[in-house]
Amino acid sequence: MSKEKQSVKDVHWLVRPRTIQILWKGGLITLAVLVLADLLITPHPYFSIDGTFGFYAWYGFFSCALMVIGAKAFGLLVKRKDTYYEDKNDSGDNNV
Amino acid sequence: MFNTFLPPSLILIVGALALPAISIRLRPFLLVFIPLLALAQIWSYDLGSAFTIDFLDYQLTPLKVDALSRLFATIFAIMAAIGGLYAMNQKRIIELVAAFIYAGSAIGVTMAGDLITVFVFWEIMAISSTLVLWSVDTNTAYKASMRYILIHLFGGVVLMAGIVCLAASTGSIEFTAMQATSPATWLILIGFLLNAGAPPLSGWLPDAYPEASYSGTVFLSAFTTKTAVYVLIRGFPGEEVLIFIGLYMIFYGIIYALLENDMRRILAYSIVNQVGFMITGIGIGTDMALNGAAAHAFTHIIYKALLLMSAGSVLYATGKRKCTDLGGLFRTMPLTMVCGVIGALSISSFPLTSGFISKSMISQAAADGHMLIVWMFLSAASAGVFLHAGIKFPWFVFFQKDSGLRPPEPPKNMRAAMVIMATLCIALGILPEYLYAILPYPVNYVPYTADHVLKMLQLLLFSGLAFFILLPMMKRTMTISLDFDWFYRYAGTKLNDFFVKIFSYATIKMNNFIVLQLSVFKDVILRHFGSDGAVTRTTSVGDMVQWVAILLSIYLVIYFL
């Protein structure tokens, strides 16, 4: 038995590259189906913009992308090492 | 029959104080039984009943029951019961006593009909919640608790000043809807908002909560902020400034949670985020919005407790709290993972979970009021919740990379508490009518339409896509993010050090100067008054007599001349 086979068996099935590939494909198909389902359902928009095709999909995606990038930029300003406030006397113990 | 013998708040408080005296074998049962007894008492009251006593010049109403107070008291009692189940193996009894007094005083606030009673229970909450933090015997937790109580005592003082002003100007201490138009009501509003985690002092919450024990944080997450939501619904419905404060809190929570590394601090930031939704709803102020805020508080307590129980189990089993140390725990903690994921889906308002039926009401209220901008922000925030709590928490703790940790599942009682909470999340999501029936206003809302479900799924799943595409940007780092508390944690101490330096320098200089002057002065004194000084030196009697004789003879000579 080769070493490679052994290691593939050791890895939990959920994190094998093949499973991850299938999950990505399945996820993308789900997303496509969800957007296309817009065509089947009569929308009841509150305003004019939210009645347009795939509004929630692109709005969800881009607002999240904006938040992640925004947080990253904001982080440059406020991020510090996690020992920033620590005293020399403090033990880094966990509070179990 | 109005049974005032023991109000629900006192059942919990008295029960808590009795806990240490009760044998260890019986204690676990009481941890669940006492809150359930309080719950039964809450439901024994008829709506609209009130109990008053005279106190000094005022008539206090320590018990007043209506739909809103019953809703909050109910969820607080349920929370205490399931929290008690989860905390059964907590060996530090002081934490359990404090947590139950804390829960009892939270119920006391919800059933208070006057502002003095509100204030008294408000302060008991502040002290007992600090005790929950104190019971963790570490220096870090102690310091965090001191910062925590500092803020809450300050909030208490502001609240009391407001109540005193109001009582002095109107003569009434009744707790009814107000408007922030006078200094008195502004002070009350600020006092209330401080406990909700409103800006600029929101930092106390994520600072303190993650420092409690694995079980303490679960209790802390439920009561303080949600009592604040309750008093705001009762005191300031439709106060427009709350919309902006709420929106700020929503995005504050998301941004800081995205940057955070400590798993329970991520969830603490997301408390601020979720309370932001409720505050926005209160600001909108329609029946639908207030129902939404109340319902969201109810469901939030359950799923946030579930999330923190799941995180607490991980802490209990691994002793680790940072995302950078965790990952891959789904292998050996599948139940904790599944419960955590259910909590995560609920907070993200996935269809068939509790968040879906409550948060949607707030968005609906914004849409009904034609508030396009508010609605756009709320929708973006809904997607953002999935991003910062819904995926981030389970992903980094249970999946991500293999950290090599293989911890066991937590003890039976903790698993049971998580399963009950997870079941409640899904039950409320499937059968919203039971929650809708106990909301303060009649509900005319159908969450499950094909249109609404599809829109929500699109919003959330595309948010998920954004998460996984941008995953490289979210690599966890060993960092914290500065917040407003920097001013009193860092700038304040530096300023203090600076003044200490200046003063000690000035003191040394001053001392030297005084010592020098004193020594000069001493020399002068010694010269004139010392043993050889002109004034005080001693001379013999013979010399004296001789001088007297000389003087007298000079006098004689002058006289005869």
Side-chain angles (χ1 to χ4, degrees), chain A residues 26-60:
Chain A
L28 291 175
I29 291 168
T30 314
L31 293 176
V33 169
L34 274 176
V35 176
L36 291 175
D38 251 9
L39 298 171
L40 303 175
I41 282 171
T42 27
H44 306 283
Y46 307 125
F47 310 97
S48 53
I49 186 168
D50 58 322
T52 52
F53 176 73
F55 167 78
Y56 285 83
W58 70 258
Y59 188 66

Side-chain angles (χ1 to χ4, degrees), chain B residues 515-533:
Chain B
V515 166
L516 187 74
Q517 293 304 313
L518 277 178
S519 66
V520 170
F521 187 57
K522 191 183 86 182
D523 289 346
V524 172
I525 298 273
L526 276 180
R527 202 180 318 136
H528 295 286
F529 297 92
S531 54
D532 293 323

Side-chain angles (χ1 to χ4, degrees), chain A residues 59 78 80 84 90 94-95, chain B residues 139 211 319 376 477 480 482 486:
Chain A
Y59 188 66
V78 296
R80 295 290 184 277
Y84 181 76
D90 281 2
N94 279 319
N95 37 359
Chain B
N139 198 21
E211 301 304 335
M376 293 283 272
T477 48
I480 54 160
L482 300 185
W486 180 84

Side-chain angles (χ1 to χ4, degrees), chain B residues 74-404:
Chain B
T74 302
I75 187 60
F76 287 160
I78 293 174
M79 176 63 227
I82 305 174
L85 174 65
Y86 183 78
M88 267 176 193
N89 25 26
Q90 175 59 263
K91 287 181 192 70
R92 287 183 281 254
I93 184 75
I94 182 87
E95 180 192 303
L96 301 172
V97 174
F100 271 37
I101 294 177
Y102 180 35
S105 46
I107 292 176
V109 170
T110 63
M111 302 218 135
D114 67 278
L115 288 166
I116 293 179
T117 312
V118 167
F119 176 74
V120 169
F121 282 119
W122 197 262
E123 293 298 286
I124 301 177
M125 274 173 65
I127 295 164
S128 50
S129 54
T130 309
L131 276 176
V132 172
L133 282 164
W134 265 2
S135 67
V136 185
D137 213 4
T138 65
N139 198 21
T140 335
Y142 174 75
K143 283 184 169 173
S145 72
M146 292 317 278
R147 291 191 295 271
Y148 172 86
I149 196 158
L150 190 82
I151 297 292
H152 285 281
L153 292 182
F154 170 68
V157 169
V158 174
L159 177 63
M160 189 178 75
I163 294 172
V164 169
C165 286
L166 192 73
S169 60
T170 65
S172 162
I173 53 159
E174 201 192 345
F175 185 25
T176 50
M178 296 166 261
Q179 280 178 324
T181 45
S182 67
T185 44
W186 265 110
L187 286 171
I188 295 176
L189 179 62
I190 291 169
F192 285 169
L193 277 172
L194 225 141
N195 267 21
L201 290 172
S202 327
W204 63 263
L205 195 159
D207 177 24
Y209 284 7
E211 301 304 335
S213 75
Y214 72 92
S215 53
T217 308
V218 175
F219 287 110
L220 289 174
S221 75
F223 303 117
T224 301
T225 47
K226 258 59 75 187
T227 327
V229 168
Y230 163 81
V231 291
L232 287 168
I233 294 178
R234 168 134 310 188
F236 294 93
E239 188 68 57
E240 208 177 289
V241 68
L242 294 179
I243 297 178
F244 305 103
I245 294 174
L247 288 176
Y248 177 92
M249 289 167 69
I250 290 173
F251 288 96
Y252 163 90
I254 295 175
I255 300 293
Y256 273 88
L258 282 174
L259 293 171
E260 187 52 51
N261 188 28
D262 183 314
M263 63 172 168
R264 290 193 303 166
R265 194 154 280 135
I266 293 174
L267 297 175
Y269 280 119
S270 98
I271 295 177
V272 181
N273 160 275
Q274 292 296 302
V275 172
F277 278 99
M278 299 166 211
I279 303 271
T280 308
I282 300 168
I284 296 172
T286 58
D287 285 4
M288 169 77 85
L290 295 176
N291 267 341
H296 203 46
F298 191 96
T299 57
H300 170 82
I301 288 177
I302 296 171
Y303 59 67
K304 183 45 57 95
L306 174 59
L307 282 165
L308 283 166
M309 283 175 178
S310 162
S313 301
V314 169
L315 178 67
Y316 184 87
T318 65
K320 294 187 190 305
R321 47 193 283 192
K322 290 174 186 165
C323 288
T324 36
D325 298 334
L326 295 164
L329 301 186
F330 73 93
R331 293 176 180 82
T332 52
M333 300 182 86
L335 183 82
T336 309
M337 182 272 284
V338 168
C339 289
V341 167
I342 290 173
L345 292 177
S346 302
I347 197 173
S348 316
S349 3
F350 255 83
L352 301 182
T353 65
S354 58
F356 182 74
I357 61 138
S358 56
K359 194 162 74 189
S360 315
M361 295 173 92
I362 300 173
S363 289
Q364 180 73 41
D368 290 345
H370 307 291
M371 305 174 181
L372 176 63
I373 305 288
V374 175
W375 181 84
M376 293 283 272
F377 276 130
L378 287 176
S379 302
S382 296
V385 173
F386 189 43
L387 195 67
H388 85 272
I391 319 182
K392 187 180 170 179
F393 166 71
W395 172 258
F396 281 106
V397 173
F398 297 109
F399 302 100
Q400 196 200 168
K401 54 171 202 242
D402 184 5
S403 59

